[in-house]
Amino acid sequence: MKIERGIHTFSLTAPCSYHIIQELRETQSHYVRKMSGTRLTKIISLNKYKPQGVEILLTQSIDHRSWIRLIINPSSLCSGRYEPLALFQAEHADLKLVQKRLKEIIKELELPMKIKDFKLNRVDLTRNLYCKSSKEVRVRLDIFRKSEQLPHYKEKNPRRKSGERDEAVDQSLYANKKNQHSWTTCAKNCEFSVYDKGYELKKQHGITILSSILRLELRISRQRLQKLAGKGNWEDQLRQLSKDQDEIVNRFLHRLHQDFPQVVHKEEAFKRIEESSFQKRTKDKMRELVKKMSSCGSFTAARRKMGISKKSFIQLLGKFEKIKISPITLPQKAEIKILLTGYQSGV
């Protein structure tokens, strides 16, 4: 399977006075796309540079500090046009070009701050998985929906109120109530989303692509960024995150139990379990888990149904790793072969 890796979007923030934001609202009124918020705090989106890959969110507050946020699609910013699939590698020359383009925008808007005054607020570490068909995309999405329910994480409803989203350059998929085209789990400083990129592009941007792509995005923000990339300037932080992206994403996939080498049909899973060298009691537990994963919505629900501890459950999953299959099985009608080794191998 072809897998592309890189940074899709990142955002920079800097404090800004109430009056400067008011001037921007007045002088750039033709480019104000949306306004939301409370009576005392307004969130304004300035889309003048969106075709170039930069959207500007202005948070104007009477009783709190006001902010300016640059939401950047670096691949689009470097090329000068919207690049929906390209992923950015934070190398020296490309970062210099991003920095140059952002300086030009700041100068054109006559903002009082410099690019060095901005702090990295969020980074989306992204993978594009090129599938053989849209059916494979849907099957892989269903596999992700059965992920472990992590402590402090909650499954997220993709419907958000206007202005609350922190990534307007390429928004995550706003699916229907059944959430058929995306799955997202989030905590305070981290969010992981899996979605049908082709569907999202057609729905949100009116763009049709020939490839069937499942997009994985690990969105890291605030304190979590500093733990992973240190407290340097935003360019150094991007370099470090780009360098460590495989390790960071793979570690998260492991926590979700989504890093097994292969997903097979139930009959094949039972066959491999039977042919293994494990004891009968272990085989029985493995078969029970396969059955529970077919009827339960997640690894967490299956573990609770089985009535075993987290430690014993992890040990049981280790048995599946040895026979190189996931306890999650393919639906009966699925004729595709699901290999997951590309998550780790870089294939």
Side-chain angles (χ1 to χ4, degrees):
M1 169 187 283
K2 177 184 176 183
I3 301 178
E4 296 174 337
R5 296 163 164 81
I7 294 171
H8 175 256
T9 307
F10 68 91
S11 67
L12 303 174
T13 58
C16 189
S17 74
Y18 181 96
H19 299 291
I20 289 173
I21 291 179
Q22 188 62 33
E23 288 179 8
L24 285 172
R25 287 177 59 180
E26 294 171 358
T27 59
Q28 306 292 329
S29 59
H30 293 299
Y31 300 102
V32 172
R33 185 170 65 90
K34 62 185 178 185
M35 293 179 60
S36 65
T38 64
R39 183 172 61 87
L40 298 178
T41 302
K42 298 293 183 184
I43 300 174
I44 305 103
S45 175
L46 186 65
N47 66 355
K48 180 177 183 179
Y49 303 98
K50 188 174 180 181
Q52 302 172 36
V54 180
E55 184 169 359
I56 301 173
L57 286 187
L58 308 170
T59 302
Q60 186 180 38
S61 179
I62 295 175
D63 57 344
H64 292 87
R65 176 179 284 186
S66 297
W67 293 87
I68 181 168
R69 177 171 298 174
L70 308 179
I71 304 167
I72 302 151
N73 181 326
S75 297
S76 299
L77 185 60
C78 287
S79 67
R81 63 180 184 276
Y82 180 50
E83 298 283 357
L85 300 179
L87 300 178
F88 182 74
Q89 306 300 325
E91 298 176 354
H92 181 76
D94 293 329
L95 274 175
K96 286 296 182 183
L97 181 56
V98 167
Q99 188 181 57
K100 178 184 176 182
R101 297 279 167 82
L102 291 176
K103 285 180 178 179
E104 292 170 354
I105 291 173
I106 290 172
K107 183 177 180 180
E108 186 175 329
L109 290 175
E110 298 181 346
L111 296 176
M113 69 281 294
K114 298 180 180 180
I115 190 62
K116 67 179 181 180
D117 298 324
F118 284 84
K119 304 296 183 183
L120 189 63
N121 178 259
R122 172 171 155 172
V123 175
D124 293 1
L125 301 179
T126 306
R127 293 183 182 180
N128 289 333
L129 278 61
Y130 284 77
C131 302
K132 293 181 179 179
S133 64
S134 58
K135 184 176 181 179
E136 182 181 345
V137 171
R138 292 193 297 271
V139 171
R140 286 183 178 274
L141 261 171
D142 287 339
I143 292 171
F144 269 102
R145 288 192 183 97
K146 290 181 177 285
S147 295
E148 175 78 5
Q149 296 172 2
L150 301 179
H152 311 299
Y153 280 76
K154 292 184 178 180
E155 191 168 335
K156 182 178 177 181
N157 185 340
R159 293 178 179 270
R160 301 283 299 272
K161 293 180 181 179
S162 176
E164 291 182 354
R165 176 103 174 115
D166 183 23
E167 180 200 333
V169 172
D170 188 7
Q171 296 183 359
S172 67
L173 183 60
Y174 286 177
N176 57 26
K177 291 182 179 179
K178 293 184 179 180
N179 203 8
Q180 294 177 351
H181 304 280
S182 70
W183 177 79
T184 300
T185 183
C186 60
K188 184 178 179 181
N189 293 311
C190 189
E191 181 175 300
F192 180 72
S193 185
V194 186
Y195 59 96
D196 183 339
K197 185 59 182 175
Y199 180 88
E200 185 262 353
L201 285 174
K202 188 173 183 180
K203 182 92 171 174
Q204 296 294 320
H205 305 279
I207 297 174
T208 300
I209 59 174
L210 298 178
S211 302
S212 298
I213 299 174
L214 184 69
R215 171 162 282 186
L216 280 58
E217 285 184 354
L218 183 61
R219 303 166 188 142
I220 306 166
S221 58
R222 301 180 179 89
Q223 291 92 344
R224 185 65 180 159
L225 274 175
Q226 292 186 358
K227 290 181 180 178
L228 292 172
K231 297 182 179 180
N233 58 50
W234 61 267
E235 298 101 320
D236 290 341
Q237 288 178 318
L238 281 179
R239 287 191 190 96
Q240 190 63 48
L241 289 168
S242 184
K243 178 183 176 182
D244 297 340
Q245 61 178 306
D246 271 346
E247 180 184 350
I248 294 169
V249 176
N250 287 341
R251 192 162 60 236
F252 195 85
L253 291 173
H254 183 71
R255 293 180 66 196
L256 295 175
H257 307 320
Q258 291 291 349
D259 59 342
F260 289 94
Q262 190 176 7
V263 180
V264 298
H265 288 92
K266 188 182 293 184
E267 293 76 12
E268 176 66 17
F270 287 157
K271 178 183 176 183
R272 294 200 191 184
I273 292 170
E274 186 59 36
E275 292 175 349
S276 70
S277 59
F278 301 129
Q279 295 180 359
K280 181 180 183 302
R281 183 180 177 183
T282 300
K283 291 181 180 180
D284 290 343
K285 280 291 183 183
M286 293 175 73
R287 279 190 287 263
E288 183 183 359
L289 178 54
V290 169
K291 293 175 182 177
K292 287 291 189 289
M293 289 307 301
S294 296
S295 59
C296 294
S298 68
F299 278 101
T300 309
R303 172 169 54 84
R304 290 170 180 168
K305 283 280 187 179
M306 293 177 69
I308 61 177
S309 68
K310 183 67 178 291
K311 181 179 179 181
S312 298
F313 189 71
I314 294 299
Q315 290 173 346
L316 185 60
L317 292 179
K319 308 299 183 183
F320 282 91
E321 290 178 3
K322 288 184 178 181
I323 61 174
K324 302 185 184 303
I325 62 170
S326 171
I328 303 171
T329 55
L330 295 171
Q332 201 63 35
K333 295 182 179 179
E335 299 298 331
I336 57 179
K337 187 177 183 181
I338 299 292
L339 294 173
L340 303 180
T341 51
Y343 292 163
Q344 287 81 24
S345 67
V347 174

